[in-house]
Amino acid sequence: MVTSGQEGDPFADAMREAVGTSVQAWRLMMAVADAVRQQRRRQRQKGKGEELPPAGKAVNEFARVIRNLLPPDISAALVGGSDWPMMAQQMAALRRAGVDPDDVLPRLAEVAVTVRDSLAENAARVSREGTGEWERMLRETLPAGPVREAILSSPTWPDIAATMARLDERGVDVRQILASAYNVGVGVDQAVARVLGADEAPVASRDAMLSYGPLTTGLDLPRDLDLSDRERALRQLAVSPWENQRYTRWMLEAMSGREREAGLLLAARQWPLLAARMAQMEGEDKPVREHLAHLLKDTSWEQGPGPQLGSRLVQATNDALRRPLGEAGTARAKVNPTAARSQSVSLNPTQRQATAKSTAPAESGAAPHRQASGPTPNRKKTR
């Protein structure tokens, strides 16, 4: 059973995420089973509408079944979900269609438990070996890009972290070793790119070019930024899953009572950039949550067309994070006109790309926002 743990504890967060994923796996398998049942029913009874069994009886009956089949953490998350009544009806419908729950549900339970355990394995190992701190050192020492992303996404990361811990215990400068390893990694990446026929110095991605401006000033922006893949984008921007969960919680707290607007903001394509800004502020020991409180003190983002509300919220959040706490609510971050034109809907994609390229400095292989050299300060938790 998963214990609640302290708020912000990476291991506890990892276990909660693993349980949530196992519940999603169960829901997916149930959806597939129900789809098959409905397809067979349509073939047999064309033109007849479907009536699911009553929810009340099914909810209580199958809740007992689920609690007997699954560990307490998964069963509690499953039965406590808002879609549980409908899922119980689906199980009852399967039984009414001739499917034996005692045959199907144990197989679903086995998969759900396997998913939970496999996701939690690495987090448990890192926590047990005390190597969690090395992920932070890696993110602070190496610049964002394919080398750092490859290390953190590798299945061997726990072994790498454990090696770093052992070297540190023996008095080795681990940061210096990482810097050397980074140079080796860059060489390997370029060599493989040549073999594959790729350019040695690829042009900045469309997401990177369109992000140049107030939203990313001062951030370590990777040239191959991919905002279409949120998990990868967060890795590229050096925001760990635990940090992202924390920033999501802070945003919901800051927008208390405005859940719809908070949802639009969290679903925005640019959310990883805002999370990276918060991570940077934590590293500088700035009170992130106090800055976020500006969002409900200055609600000028409400003004404008409804479809653009999410975009205005992204800009307003970035303004709130960059604005000094003592500054008046009407102040706004200065806009780079050239960068703004590169994002204008009045320009076609080719024109925007050319405009965005013209804003980049002529430095080989360096993103325009890498303004500082050397390791970034340690990130501290904002209380």
Side-chain angles (χ1 to χ4, degrees), residues 326-379:
E327 192 172 304
T330 56
R332 289 287 184 268
K334 294 182 179 179
V335 175
N336 181 327
T338 306
R341 284 197 299 274
S342 73
Q343 303 179 55
S344 171
V345 295
S346 65
L347 297 178
N348 63 44
T350 303
Q351 291 172 316
R352 286 198 297 270
Q353 188 178 40
T355 304
K357 282 183 179 179
S358 69
T359 67
E363 293 182 12
S364 165
H369 291 69
R370 293 176 184 167
Q371 299 175 348
S373 60
T376 58
N378 289 335
R379 295 179 191 166

Side-chain angles (χ1 to χ4, degrees), residues 175-330:
R175 290 185 184 272
Q176 182 59 46
I177 296 292
L178 283 176
S180 299
Y182 172 76
N183 292 330
V184 173
V186 169
V188 171
D189 181 65
Q190 292 175 344
V192 174
R194 283 194 296 270
V195 172
L196 297 177
D199 293 333
E200 227 175 284
V203 297
S205 68
R206 179 177 175 80
D207 279 332
M209 289 188 294
L210 294 184
S211 298
Y212 294 158
L215 193 59
T216 57
T217 298
L219 296 181
D220 187 12
L221 194 67
R223 294 178 63 83
D224 59 343
L225 180 65
D226 181 10
L227 293 176
S228 65
D229 184 339
R230 176 162 291 195
E231 183 177 345
R232 179 170 185 242
L234 289 167
R235 283 201 309 269
Q236 289 181 301
L237 293 163
V239 179
S240 72
W242 334 123
E243 289 171 321
N244 184 53
Q245 290 176 9
R246 185 164 67 251
Y247 304 147
T248 297
R249 184 173 67 251
W250 289 354
M251 185 59 66
L252 292 170
E253 291 172 355
M255 297 287 286
S256 178
R258 307 297 293 270
E259 284 74 17
R260 173 181 170 274
E261 290 82 353
L264 285 173
L265 179 58
L266 293 171
R269 184 183 177 90
Q270 296 87 353
W271 167 254
L273 297 172
L274 296 175
R277 175 78 63 193
M278 295 183 211
Q280 182 189 65
M281 293 175 67
E282 275 201 286
E284 297 169 355
D285 204 20
K286 294 181 179 178
V288 178
R289 296 161 101 171
E290 292 182 32
H291 281 266
L292 291 177
H294 275 301
L295 284 170
L296 291 187
K297 294 177 181 177
D298 174 12
T299 57
S300 56
W301 45 263
E302 293 179 312
Q303 302 168 11
Q308 282 78 52
L309 177 58
S311 177
R312 293 197 303 275
L313 279 165
V314 168
Q315 296 176 22
T317 303
N318 187 56
D319 289 343
L321 292 171
R322 298 181 62 196
R323 184 189 313 154
L325 286 177
E327 192 172 304
T330 56

Side-chain angles (χ1 to χ4, degrees), residues 42 105 122 196 306 381:
R42 284 194 295 269
L105 297 184
N122 267 6
L196 297 177
K381 297 288 187 296

